[in-house]
Amino acid sequence: MARAESEHELSRKRPLDASGVMIEHDLTAGKLDLPGVFDNDRLVEIEIGSGKGTFIVERSKLRPDLNLLGIEYAKAYCLYTGDRVKRNGLENVRMLCCDAGALFTDCLADQSVWRVHIYFPDPWPKRKHHRRRLIQPAFINQVRRTLKIGGQLLVVTDHFGYFQQIRQVLDSAEGFAETPRPIAGQTGEIVGTNFERKYISQGRLFYSAGLLRYR
Ligand SMILES: C[S@@+](CC[C@H](N)C(=O)[O-])C[C@H]1O[C@@H](n2cnc3c(N)ncnc32)[C@H](O)[C@@H]1O
């Protein structure tokens, strides 16, 4: 499978050093102490599925005033991103290797997060695998619980079928209003992920949604 090969490639090329960036948290150990993780109480943005880390690295350069937590369950990608963060000397990023669903459900406190970025989540295109998709009603309820009032959830996918499901889930979620999601390359605010940059250069379509928690 392409991902397994590229994960292997990532760790084979050269030794990676993500020390000081990678954090650990036992998902059965209760809430993650976010101010403790960053040693300050700045606003926290979470990127779910950081992949090779382009978004979180560029976001960190753009917004050193924020704390950025990347959640990535593929260990090799997590280490690779942590190594990129470290080589760039970025102090406001931490990476956690775990399942985002479990983290949001069990380990994030109410109203502790300012923004959640989900870019190109795995689409699980086969019908029998749809239940593995991240964006489901129960998960979005957890995202809402953990967002501060005024906080945002930003989602982008290139998979139209998944986007239709995402729209249904988001449209029926309580307590959110629509908010525009800036397009990468058209604003200094959102920098774009690896996938987004590639698809823009190929002229490929993708779909985005932005929600703001208002209550
Ligand atoms: C298609 S890739 C997109 C990577 C990156 N966001 C981008 O746009 O370039 C999806 C990434 O999400 C990660 N991922 C998928 N489900 C996850 C979950 N439940 N928790 C943490 N990471 C997840 C995968 O390991 C993969 O690296």
Side-chain angles (χ1 to χ4, degrees), residues 16-24 36-39 68-69 78-79 81-87 89-96:
L16 301 175
D17 176 11
S19 54
V21 180
M22 293 283 284
I23 60 163
E24 301 208 345
V37 162
F38 291 97
D39 207 18
L68 303 170
L69 177 62
C78 214
L79 282 169
T81 297
D83 176 78
R84 281 183 78 181
V85 167
K86 193 155 184 189
R87 279 187 291 117
L90 303 167
E91 310 239 315
N92 62 336
V93 181
R94 299 290 180 276
M95 292 297 303
L96 179 56

Side-chain angles (χ1 to χ4, degrees), residues 3 49 51 71-74 77 98-100 119-120 122 193-195:
R3 174 183 299 156
I71 309 300
E72 172 53 66
Y73 66 17
Y77 285 146
C98 71
D99 171 50
Y119 299 137
F120 302 91
D122 290 334
T193 68
N194 272 44
F195 274 60

Side-chain angles (χ1 to χ4, degrees), residues 136-210:
Q136 312 274 357
F139 174 70
I140 294 303
N141 282 339
Q142 291 299 324
V143 170
R144 179 187 165 215
R145 177 184 66 74
T146 57
L147 279 174
K148 293 179 185 294
I149 304 294
Q152 294 178 351
L153 165 65
L154 303 170
V155 183
V156 181
T157 178
D158 61 310
H159 192 280
F160 184 64
Y162 191 11
F163 187 66
Q164 286 177 306
Q165 179 191 331
I166 290 170
R167 272 280 36 133
Q168 273 181 1
V169 172
L170 299 185
D171 287 347
S172 50
E174 296 273 318
F176 284 115
E178 292 282 327
T179 190
R181 187 260 171 185
I183 304 293
Q186 292 183 1
T187 163
E189 176 70 2
I190 295 293
V191 292
T193 68
N194 272 44
F195 274 60
E196 187 161 9
R197 289 168 177 218
K198 187 169 77 181
Y199 292 162
I200 286 173
S201 73
Q202 293 172 350
R204 189 159 153 176
L205 284 180
F206 50 85
Y207 313 92
S208 62

